[in-house]
């Protein structure tokens, strides 16, 4: 942790870039010298404050979207809540377990975004199909009146 924070202080705003290695030569793995166990410290080292703020903003947008999705789709609220809890748990566990993911993957956030995307896509399909159905019903009822009248 000390190595990453110390190196981050050399470039605190933009970081050193994804794939950067420590100048000190310290590595966790010879095969992947750019990967470290402390994912959020690595994110800070790699992307700086700008990257941390953008990541935090994306997570806030995701949380707001999940709340709105829960309001729009009350019948799917249990799925949304479960996904939110699982996403949060995965993002928290990632802080201490290096084997869950690498920097930039953020699977916890991707799971939440996928559920919201699927719900919104299903809603757009239903809103497109419903006007067609209602026009079909109108044409059938109109044709019946003409035939019957």
């Amino acid at each position: 942790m000390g190595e990453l924070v110390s190196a981050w202080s050399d470039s605190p705003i933009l970081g050193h870039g994804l794939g950067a290695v420590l100048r000190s030569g310290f590595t966790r793995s010879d095969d992947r010298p750019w990967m470290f166990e402390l994912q959020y410290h690595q994110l800070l080292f790699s992307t700086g404050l700008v990257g941390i703020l953008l990541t935090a903003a994306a997570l806030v947008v995701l949380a707001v979207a999940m709340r709105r999705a829960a309001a729009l789709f009350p019948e799917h609220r249990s799925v949304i809540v479960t996904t939110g809890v699982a996403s949060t748990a995965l993002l928290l566990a990632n802080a201490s377990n290096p084997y869950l993911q690498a920097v930039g993957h953020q699977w916890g956030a991707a799971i939440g975004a996928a559920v919201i995307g699927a719900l919104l896509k299903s809603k757009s399909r239903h809103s497109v199909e419903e006007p067609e159905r209602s026009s079909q019903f109108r044409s059938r009822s109109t044709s019946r009146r003409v035939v019957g009248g």
Side-chain angles (χ1 to χ4, degrees), residues 129-143:
E129 291 174 5
E130 287 180 21
E132 292 174 7
R133 288 183 197 161
S134 62
S135 65
Q136 289 172 356
F137 290 131
R138 273 189 250 132
S139 64
R140 287 181 188 166
S141 63
T142 306
S143 63

Side-chain angles (χ1 to χ4, degrees), residues 40 43-44 47-62 91 103-104 106 109:
Y40 296 116
L43 184 65
L44 182 65
T47 64
L49 291 175
V50 171
I52 291 290
L53 291 174
L54 288 174
T55 301
L59 293 174
V60 167
V61 166
L62 180 62
L91 291 170
V103 66
Q106 300 296 329

